């Protein structure tokens, strides 16, 4: 069952950057796009690259391994719209970032 889990604080993820957190056996990538936090699976569906370590440009992150790009709001691959990573609801309470996992 999904539950809200505290994964980071707003200080961990400055605007325009990503962050990786492990929870419940999953690796989750968090991104700060203009002050709003988004959460997607950290694992690129190409060959498993760590999306949370990729460069964030606007709302698009580039996988650091071979350059696949994903929209962090939708999880959908920019290059191949039929490919998608999971997205997770995010709630910010005070300075704490919680994700429904
Ligand atoms: S593993 Fe992400 S682009 Fe290849």
């Amino acid at each position: 069952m999904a539950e809200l889990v505290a994964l980071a604080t707003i200080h961990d993820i400055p605007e325009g950057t990503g962050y990786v957190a492990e929870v419940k056996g999953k690796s989750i990538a968090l991104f700060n796009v203009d002050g709003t936090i988004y959460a997607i699976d950290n694992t690129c569906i190409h060959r498993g690259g760590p999306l949370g370590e990729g460069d964030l440009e606007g709302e698009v992150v580039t996988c650091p391994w071979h350059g696949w790009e994903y929209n962090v709001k939708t999880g959908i691959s920019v290059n191949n719209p039929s490919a998608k990573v999971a997205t997770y609801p995010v709630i910010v309470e005070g300075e704490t970032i919680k994700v429904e996992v």
Side-chain angles (χ1 to χ4, degrees), residues 44 46-49 63 65-68:
C44 178
H46 179 221
R47 296 212 183 141
C63 177
W65 285 8
H66 317 100
W68 282 30

Side-chain angles (χ1 to χ4, degrees), residues 14-99:
E15 274 189 34
T17 68
Y19 182 86
V20 178
E22 312 290 331
V23 62
K24 291 186 169 180
K26 297 177 196 250
S27 188
I28 310 281
L30 301 163
F31 298 96
N32 183 336
V33 179
D34 296 330
T36 302
I37 305 295
Y38 297 92
I40 64 174
D41 262 336
N42 185 42
T43 307
C44 178
I45 52 179
H46 179 221
R47 296 212 183 141
L51 297 178
E53 297 173 22
D55 284 336
L56 183 64
E57 192 76 46
E59 58 194 54
V60 173
V61 65
T62 301
C63 177
W65 285 8
H66 317 100
W68 282 30
E69 296 176 326
Y70 296 86
N71 184 304
V72 303
K73 294 183 179 178
T74 63
I76 295 173
S77 163
V78 174
N79 324 76
N80 175 7
S82 65
K84 180 181 185 304
V85 293
T87 58
Y88 301 92
V90 177
I91 291 175
V92 179
E93 286 181 357
E95 298 192 340
T96 304
I97 296 167
K98 296 182 175 180
V99 177

